């Protein structure tokens, strides 16, 4: 399967279809052509009796995928374009498809796995993390809101752990990814090449027990008391107040972390995660996320957040509004309003 585009390498190794994200210089960040290429490979293998499972890996040593190409999104947002909307439509369709794929979908979540990288891995049926894994939905730091089904995953995490990860954008290691339901198995990174090679000849259900071991201890389990108590509040401001007033120094530090994020993105993110709990299926949540993303594309905070974190790298975004109190309930509701029949994302739930 070759068309001259080497940003995704599609190969067949024995019984396994292998997808390699191949932009290591950009931490394998996703573009629309990459999403379409992955989708085409999944279509071909779904009906190929010789391929019994799929393996997804990232090229290079730094990670599976750092997310969508946010420099491209920044340029599109500044120009008032629609390329990002087209990208998200195809990307979210792919996320839903991965979750429903009829053959084992094995994702090696080694190294950095963030944003869109979570979308192409954490909806799979076999999700493997290593001691190098750093898994995150860091969108609030760039004036955006967790997408790619991230609010669905985080809404289903134990207690208020998902709310914590959504608002802070914190990256977690292997044990915490397992605790939050973002991954299934821990395999030491040095064993991944051998595991991948064995998948050519045997089903993942037979191979994995030879490699999976308990993960090193994480951090979140010991923080559940203050996380569950503080994040149970009804508003972002109330959450921050509880964190700041809690006796644990980590809670107070977390309050400061949250206050550095986009106030608008924080309020919309909290609403999105809470609504995702009620929506149920991944498809309905992705449809909601599509609405939110389309509105965020036209918001000043997305352009400013990417500028500060990625383009100019001065790390001093000027949010508008600058404080939580300046973001009205009506403004939050605007992100969830229908887009119009011809613009909505419609996904069939199986």
């Amino acid at each position: 399967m070759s068309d001259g585009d080497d940003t995704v390498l599609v190969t067949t190794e024995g019984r396994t279809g292998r997808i390699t994200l191949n932009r290591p210089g950009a931490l394998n960040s996703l573009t629309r052509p990459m999403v379409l290429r992955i989708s085409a490979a999944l279509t071909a293998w779904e009906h190929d009796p010789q391929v019994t499972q799929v393996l997804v890996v990232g090229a290079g040593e730094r990670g599976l995928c750092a997310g969508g190409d946010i420099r491209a999104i920044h340029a599109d947002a500044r120009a008032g374009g629609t390329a990002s909307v087209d990208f998200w439509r195809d990307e979210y369709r792919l996320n839903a498809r991965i979750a429903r794929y009829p053959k084992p979908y094995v994702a090696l979540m080694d190294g950095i796995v963030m944003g869109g990288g979570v979308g192409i891995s954490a909806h799979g049926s076999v999700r493997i993390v290593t001691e190098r894994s750093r898994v995150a939905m860091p969108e609030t730091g760039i004036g955006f809101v967790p997408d790619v089904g991230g609010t669905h995953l985080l809404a289903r995490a134990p207690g208020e752990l998902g709310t914590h990860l959504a608002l802070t954008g914190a990256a977690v290691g292997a044990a915490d990814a397992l605790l939050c339901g973002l991954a299934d198995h821990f395999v030491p990174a040095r064993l991944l090449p051998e595991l991948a090679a064995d998948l050519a000849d045997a089903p993942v259900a037979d191979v994995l027990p030879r490699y999976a071991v308990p993960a090193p201890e994480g951090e979140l389990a010991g923080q559940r008391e203050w996380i569950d108590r503080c994040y149970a509040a009804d508003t972002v401001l109330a959450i921050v107040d509880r964190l700041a007033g809690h006796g644990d120094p980590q809670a107070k530090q977390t309050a400061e972390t949250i206050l550095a994020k986009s106030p608008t993105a924080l309020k919309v993110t909290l609403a999105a995660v809470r609504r995702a709990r009620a929506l149920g299926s991944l498809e309905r949540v992705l449809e909601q996320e599509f609405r939110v993303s389309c509105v965020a594309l036209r918001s000043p905070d997305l352009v400013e957040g990417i500028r500060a974190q990625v383009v100019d790298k001065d790390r001093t975004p000027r949010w508008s509004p600058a404080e939580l109190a300046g973001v009205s309930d009506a403004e939050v509701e605007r992100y969830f309003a229908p887009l119009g029949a011809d613009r909505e994302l419609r996904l069939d739930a199986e």
Side-chain angles (χ1 to χ4, degrees):
M1 193 180 294
S2 177
D3 55 11
D5 179 4
D6 64 355
T7 57
V8 174
L9 305 179
V10 176
T11 57
T12 304
E13 299 173 2
R15 65 192 298 141
T16 299
R18 180 175 177 133
I19 295 170
T20 304
L21 306 185
N22 191 39
R23 295 183 70 205
L27 260 171
N28 301 319
S29 59
L30 293 170
T31 63
R32 190 183 181 205
M34 293 171 70
V35 166
L36 294 175
R37 189 168 177 81
I38 294 168
S39 184
L42 293 179
T43 296
W45 290 332
E46 183 172 350
H47 305 290
D48 183 348
Q50 301 302 312
V51 174
T52 61
Q53 57 199 5
V54 174
L55 176 66
V56 179
V57 303
E61 297 296 320
R62 297 169 65 197
L64 173 64
C65 176
D69 188 337
I70 58 175
R71 284 182 177 270
I73 293 171
H74 180 260
D76 186 43
R78 290 189 65 190
T82 60
S84 299
V85 173
D86 296 334
F87 167 62
W88 289 324
R89 188 181 296 275
D90 291 326
E91 183 184 27
Y92 300 175
R93 288 188 183 281
L94 176 61
N95 301 147
R97 183 172 191 189
I98 289 168
R100 304 290 185 185
Y101 202 64
K103 298 180 180 181
Y105 181 101
V106 185
L108 301 188
M109 300 171 68
D110 186 35
I112 292 175
V113 185
M114 297 185 178
V118 173
I120 62 159
S121 59
H123 298 301
S125 53
V126 183
R127 307 164 301 173
I128 298 170
V129 284
T130 76
E131 72 278 6
R132 303 188 300 199
S133 296
R134 300 301 293 167
V135 184
M137 296 300 295
E139 286 77 9
T140 57
I142 59 166
F144 197 49
V145 178
D147 66 333
V148 299
T151 60
H152 175 76
L153 294 166
L154 295 175
R156 299 168 74 188
E160 294 293 338
L161 292 178
T163 311
H164 171 65
L165 297 185
L167 295 183
T168 62
V172 298
D176 291 334
L178 293 165
L179 173 63
C180 292
L182 301 174
D184 306 301
H185 309 279
F186 175 82
V187 174
R190 61 183 173 80
L191 298 180
L192 293 184
E194 190 177 343
L195 181 152
D198 284 355
L199 289 176
D201 303 314
V204 65
D206 294 343
V207 171
L208 194 54
R210 301 201 294 268
Y211 294 95
V213 296
E217 188 175 353
E219 300 176 2
L220 291 179
Q223 300 171 357
R224 281 289 301 276
E225 186 278 328
W226 62 262
I227 287 175
D228 288 349
R229 179 177 299 182
C230 295
Y231 286 94
D234 292 335
T235 67
V236 177
L237 189 56
I239 288 171
V240 170
D241 286 345
R242 287 191 185 185
L243 289 167
H246 196 280
D248 193 309
Q250 290 178 307
K252 184 173 182 179
Q253 183 179 350
T254 299
E256 296 171 358
T257 297
I258 291 174
L259 288 175
K261 312 298 183 183
S262 158
T264 301
L266 288 169
K267 285 198 170 184
V268 176
T269 294
L270 181 62
V273 172
R274 298 268 165 91
R275 293 178 188 217
R277 289 175 178 168
L279 286 172
S281 75
L282 172 62
E283 286 81 4
R284 299 293 82 78
V285 176
L286 284 164
E287 291 167 355
Q288 172 177 277
E289 290 178 348
F290 185 74
R291 290 179 176 180
V292 170
S293 296
C294 287
V295 177
L297 184 65
R298 303 293 176 232
S299 73
D301 277 5
L302 179 61
V303 171
E304 174 61 11
I306 298 175
R307 178 207 66 76
Q309 300 297 336
V310 179
V311 179
D312 296 338
K313 297 182 180 178
D314 58 34
R315 306 290 193 267
T316 55
R318 295 178 292 274
W319 305 122
S320 178
E323 297 181 352
L324 288 166
V327 184
S328 68
D329 292 344
E331 174 63 11
V332 173
E333 284 299 320
R334 190 171 68 85
Y335 281 76
F336 298 92
L339 298 171
D342 57 334
R343 296 178 57 206
E344 297 279 7
L345 175 66
R346 301 292 188 193
L347 298 172
D348 294 330
E350 295 181 6

